[in-house]
Amino acid sequence: MSNGTSLLSQPAVHDHYQNSKARLLLFDWDGTLTPIVQNPEDAMPTAADIEVLKKISSDPENEFWIISGREPKFLDKHLGLIKSISLSAEHGAFVRRSHHFDWEETSDSADKMWQSTIMTIFEHFTSKTRGSWIERKNTAITWHYRNAAPEESVIHTEECKKRLEMVISGSLPNLEAINGKMCLEVRPRSVNKGAIVRRILEDYTQDQGQRTAPGFVLCVGDDVTDEDMFHAVRNSNLPADQAFTVSVGSPSKLTAASWYLPEPADVVALLYQLASITEDSQEEL
């Protein structure tokens, strides 16, 4: 882990992208392709963003994934009509591959007995923290406090995290409590973005030479849940100079990524640039 990443070298990205015949692009959603907003339902792509996502994902040399903590229904609603994009929901618990309309569950989420215990804790802190709310997903429970008073949320978040960790260490060791962007989430340890990225990379080797291994990988995310993606890419067999792991935010942030971009707007701008390279290449054919 490093807390001194360098600004992404865009010329290097452009060069490797242009000269690679197989590319894998892995992007988080909230805080990466869209800014963090007060109401999570407002984190929607613009019409222009949809067009650039269609353009870059329709390049036959590209495999494009959105790997998000969102539920399948949210990703279906806003990105589901882009057939050439593969989607991963709830940190890899569900996947919908490009040109398919059905979601595949990747984890065994049948055992949900733990949820009532965690809900009791979150409900207690929701009642104490005005403006906070609980989001109950298929495989996780998230307590959001972005609309709460900062003074209250700081104190109550620390108390809540301690209570969760005490319960988890005592009787629910298969769970983990993680701090996201203005939220606390509890989920099974087996469900994380690193696991789905490892699975995507393993698919190349299991296809027995039917697919060319990626010569360019771009992996971009902004918070602690995305660190699992960065580790998966960096610990793979991919040559280091072909894999670009990029954290969105401050260069001083502790991260496993090799590079950083300051804002989601910079990530979107990069996508537009890569889409232009794709468009120019297709026109030359």
Side-chain angles (χ1 to χ4, degrees), residues 86-122:
S86 292
L87 301 172
S88 169
E90 297 192 28
H91 306 294
F94 300 89
V95 297
R96 203 200 81 174
R97 295 183 181 273
S98 61
H99 303 288
H100 290 75
F101 292 99
D102 295 324
W103 287 89
E104 168 193 352
E105 190 167 3
T106 64
S107 65
D108 181 10
S109 60
D111 180 11
K112 296 184 179 180
M113 297 293 290
W114 59 270
Q115 292 192 356
S116 60
T117 300
I118 301 304
M119 279 293 294
T120 300
I121 296 172
F122 279 155

Side-chain angles (χ1 to χ4, degrees), residues 94-260:
F94 300 89
V95 297
R96 203 200 81 174
R97 295 183 181 273
S98 61
H99 303 288
H100 290 75
F101 292 99
D102 295 324
W103 287 89
E104 168 193 352
E105 190 167 3
T106 64
S107 65
D108 181 10
S109 60
D111 180 11
K112 296 184 179 180
M113 297 293 290
W114 59 270
Q115 292 192 356
S116 60
T117 300
I118 301 304
M119 279 293 294
T120 300
I121 296 172
F122 279 155
E123 286 169 351
H124 170 73
F125 283 95
T126 299
S127 68
K128 292 176 60 176
T129 314
R130 187 170 49 188
S132 67
W133 79 95
I134 301 168
E135 179 185 9
R136 190 164 186 167
K137 304 176 185 178
N138 292 284
T139 57
I141 303 177
T142 307
W143 181 55
H144 296 272
Y145 52 86
R146 67 183 66 179
N147 294 334
E151 302 82 9
E152 272 193 353
S153 62
V154 168
I155 296 171
H156 294 165
T157 300
E158 291 179 0
E159 292 177 359
C160 185
K161 183 73 177 293
K162 288 178 181 177
R163 180 85 61 87
L164 290 169
E165 289 176 340
M166 182 176 65
V167 170
I168 289 170
S169 63
S171 59
L172 298 169
N174 292 329
L175 302 180
E176 63 178 344
I178 56 175
N179 291 93
K181 287 282 184 71
M182 304 299 288
C183 68
L184 272 173
E185 182 165 278
V186 176
R187 68 186 187 195
R189 292 185 186 276
S190 60
V191 177
N192 62 77
K193 293 184 179 183
I196 189 61
V197 169
R198 285 190 294 273
R199 180 176 173 182
I200 293 167
L201 292 170
E202 287 167 3
D203 284 347
Y204 284 95
T205 58
Q206 293 174 358
D207 281 351
Q208 298 180 342
Q210 295 180 23
R211 287 202 299 168
T212 302
F216 171 88
V217 177
L218 178 60
C219 179
V220 189
D222 74 300
D223 73 9
V224 66
T225 65
D226 301 310
E227 293 298 321
D228 294 320
M229 289 202 299
F230 301 149
H231 283 294
V233 171
R234 296 192 66 171
N235 293 335
S236 70
N237 294 324
L238 295 165
D241 65 337
Q242 296 177 5
F244 294 83
T245 51
V246 184
S247 175
V248 182
S250 169
S252 62
K253 179 169 58 176
L254 188 66
T255 179
S258 299
W259 307 89
Y260 86 96

